[in-house]
């Protein structure tokens, strides 16, 4: 991988994290920070992705209830993953309105705390511990790169890395077909996602308010990558590194392989965000 | 994985080894042990599997030539892997006779040393370093398990583990459809492979003479597993551990999952032998 990119790469393998993604960090930080009385009423989310499993695990760790609102047509693997971790699933219609309404109803009925998947300072701080650990493990870096979805991981990464290494370059990557964060960072106006359509399903979310502020303040460079580059980078990591990463995790690798950001000869930290994929539907297989 | 097997498992991830398989160990040990004058004439093999890439790397490490005899119809990925590591490929007809003749011709012409993929004491000793490292890393084990092909890894594992931990149980696993080592171990007569037909392509070889002696002397138990169990174990490792292993590496995991060997509550070392797979042809995909 170093030869292909022309840099010295240090990967933080969050695909090997509990629940298969970095999301376990933010969920634990948010859940463990709750006051005793508030925590006792449980937590809730209407995200059905990696955050749902992460919140279920964090709640189980603290011994409280996690209520997970999911569309009735959610993939069986996601339902099973939440169930195995002890999350209480509430099914709803597959619209964002129905999901928000179902979550609000649980908050009203139980006094449970809604833990947002990314637009929450405690969640963002938790995600930043991946960069902290990487820097503690391998020392000084010239640059660090992560993919951007809602901005939770990128925001936390930026804060942690800049604090520990003031001279580090903070780099972001996003699919060109879901580039709302890129456009927001460039323009200074938080832009909504316009029909994001990318194989990197974890990055279809719109940049959050906190993420927007942190990216504007701390990012040094930002690359967008094609769907083909994402698939090629994902496959290369599987083949060469022998680890399973999901398409979202390949986005930062794709940015480096494409040469969209100059890191020649540098020491670069790369956050591989997760490894939750459907092994029956791999993106390099003919449809 | 621990919950599914009912034991505490410690994996030695040789899929993450250089060249993607444990074979790098034996090849390096054999090549580095050669006298200077002998080494200068190069090394040769007619194995086209993981040993070919391993020998190419070991020869490059020592700065000598590696001659790799391969059938003209070898998969492009294997040819590319050997080329990238600097091996000199000699193509031949796809029969074992043609391969042996081509290798013998190189030995005669150049004085190169034939390094057998498994039936060689230095190769076997090198493979045993995987178990040595595992025990150094995680301490006492009640048992250790590895798959058996030609017996190089299993033989080296058995010698190393029994020496370091005299009370350890040495366990072997083999595909039921390529069970020559199992039959040899049971009967005390080294049996030839009878049309081995298994997805675990690294284990189709016949048990070597050295491996046979070591298995008879040191093995405590031996399980054979079905093709279905191999595929299920391989897929489970990919899904749960987020690492890419090849079918041969899944055979030991399959033996534990099947409950074919009693390890309840024990600390068990598992050698995951390699991760070289064709990502376009995964065994759980419909033909």
């Amino acid at each position: 991988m170093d030869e292909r990119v022309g840099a010295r790469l240090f990967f933080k393998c969050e695909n090997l994290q509990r629940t298969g993604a970095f999301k376990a960090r933010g969920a634990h930080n948010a859940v463990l920070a709750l006051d005793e009385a508030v925590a006792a009423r449980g937590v809730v989310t209407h995200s059905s992705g990696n955050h749902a499993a992460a919140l279920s695990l964090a709640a189980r760790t603290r011994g409280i209830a996690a209520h997970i609102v999911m569309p009735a047509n959610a993939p069986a693997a996601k339902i099973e993953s939440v169930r195995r971790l002890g999350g209480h699933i509430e099914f709803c219609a597959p619209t964002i309105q129905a999901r928000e309404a179902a979550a609000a109803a649980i908050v009203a009925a139980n006094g449970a705390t809604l833990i947002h998947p990314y637009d929450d300072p405690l969640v963002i701080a938790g995600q930043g511990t991946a960069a902290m650990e990487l820097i503690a493990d391998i020392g000084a870096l010239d640059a660090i790169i992560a993919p951007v979805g809602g901005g939770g991981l990128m925001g936390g990464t930026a804060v942690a890395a800049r604090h520990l290494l003031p001279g580090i370059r903070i780099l972001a990557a996003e699919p060109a077909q879901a580039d709302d964060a890129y456009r927001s960072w460039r323009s200074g106006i938080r832009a909504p996602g316009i029909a994001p359509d990318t194989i990197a399903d974890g990055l279809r979310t719109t940049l959050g308010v906190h993420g927007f502020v942190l990216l504007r303040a701390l990012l040094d460079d930002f690359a967008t990558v094609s769907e083909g580059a994402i698939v090629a980078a994902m496959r290369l990591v599987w083949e060469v590194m022998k680890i399973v990463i999901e398409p979202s995790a390949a986005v930062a690798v794709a940015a480096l392989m494409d040469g969209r950001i100059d890191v020649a000869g540098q020491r670069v930290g790369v956050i591989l965000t997760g490894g939750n994929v459907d092994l029956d539907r791999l993106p390099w297989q003919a449809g």
Side-chain angles (χ1 to χ4, degrees), chain A residues 8-11 134 141 143-146 256 267-271:
Chain A
R8 187 110 172 73
L9 305 180
F10 299 89
F11 295 94
L134 181 62
L141 290 171
I144 191 164
I145 188 166
L256 295 175
R267 288 167 59 91
V268 183
V270 184
I271 316 275

Side-chain angles (χ1 to χ4, degrees), chain A residues 67-162:
Chain A
H67 303 278
I68 312 294
V69 176
M70 282 185 147
N73 61 355
K78 292 198 169 170
I79 295 169
E80 171 55 25
S81 164
V82 166
R83 283 232 169 94
R84 202 175 48 235
L85 294 165
H88 306 291
I89 299 177
E90 177 108 2
F91 289 107
C92 67
T95 67
I96 184 66
Q97 290 81 3
R99 287 160 74 158
E100 289 179 349
I106 291 167
V107 171
N110 303 352
T113 303
L114 187 75
I115 307 287
H116 194 278
Y118 53 86
D119 209 358
D120 175 318
L122 287 167
V123 169
I124 293 172
Q127 317 303 28
T129 60
M132 284 176 61
E133 289 177 5
L134 181 62
I135 291 167
D137 281 350
I138 56 99
L141 290 171
D142 300 303
I144 191 164
I145 188 166
V148 183
L153 175 70
M154 189 74 247
T157 299
V159 170
R162 179 60 46 79

Side-chain angles (χ1 to χ4, degrees), chain A residues 30-256:
Chain A
V31 166
L32 295 174
L34 294 173
D35 287 339
E36 202 61 54
V38 173
R41 296 195 291 270
V43 290
V44 60
T45 185
H46 54 78
S47 155
S48 63
N50 287 329
H51 178 65
L55 192 66
S56 300
L57 176 64
R60 191 176 73 177
T61 302
R62 184 144 186 193
I64 64 175
H67 303 278
I68 312 294
V69 176
M70 282 185 147
N73 61 355
K78 292 198 169 170
I79 295 169
E80 171 55 25
S81 164
V82 166
R83 283 232 169 94
R84 202 175 48 235
L85 294 165
H88 306 291
I89 299 177
E90 177 108 2
F91 289 107
C92 67
T95 67
I96 184 66
Q97 290 81 3
R99 287 160 74 158
E100 289 179 349
I106 291 167
V107 171
N110 303 352
T113 303
L114 187 75
I115 307 287
H116 194 278
Y118 53 86
D119 209 358
D120 175 318
L122 287 167
V123 169
I124 293 172
Q127 317 303 28
T129 60
M132 284 176 61
E133 289 177 5
L134 181 62
I135 291 167
D137 281 350
I138 56 99
L141 290 171
D142 300 303
I144 191 164
I145 188 166
V148 183
L153 175 70
M154 189 74 247
T157 299
V159 170
R162 179 60 46 79
H163 175 76
L164 294 169
L165 299 171
I168 197 170
R169 277 201 308 150
I170 314 280
L171 312 175
E174 196 174 42
Q177 291 185 195
D179 68 345
D180 65 293
Y182 175 75
R183 289 182 284 110
S184 302
W185 174 71
R186 290 276 306 224
S187 68
I189 298 164
R190 191 165 71 101
I194 300 167
D197 175 25
T198 172
I199 191 174
D201 54 338
L203 307 182
R204 290 182 197 140
T205 44
T206 292
L207 182 64
V209 173
H210 293 89
F212 173 65
V213 171
L214 293 171
L215 267 59
R216 283 284 294 176
L218 296 170
L219 271 202
D220 293 296
D221 208 347
F222 202 136
T224 59
V225 295
S226 71
E227 296 295 295
I230 297 169
V231 174
M234 176 176 166
R235 183 168 175 146
L236 189 75
V237 167
W238 286 43
E239 282 183 342
V240 173
M241 298 173 64
K242 311 297 184 191
I243 56 175
V244 172
I245 63 168
E246 58 189 73
S248 300
V251 168
V253 181
L256 295 175

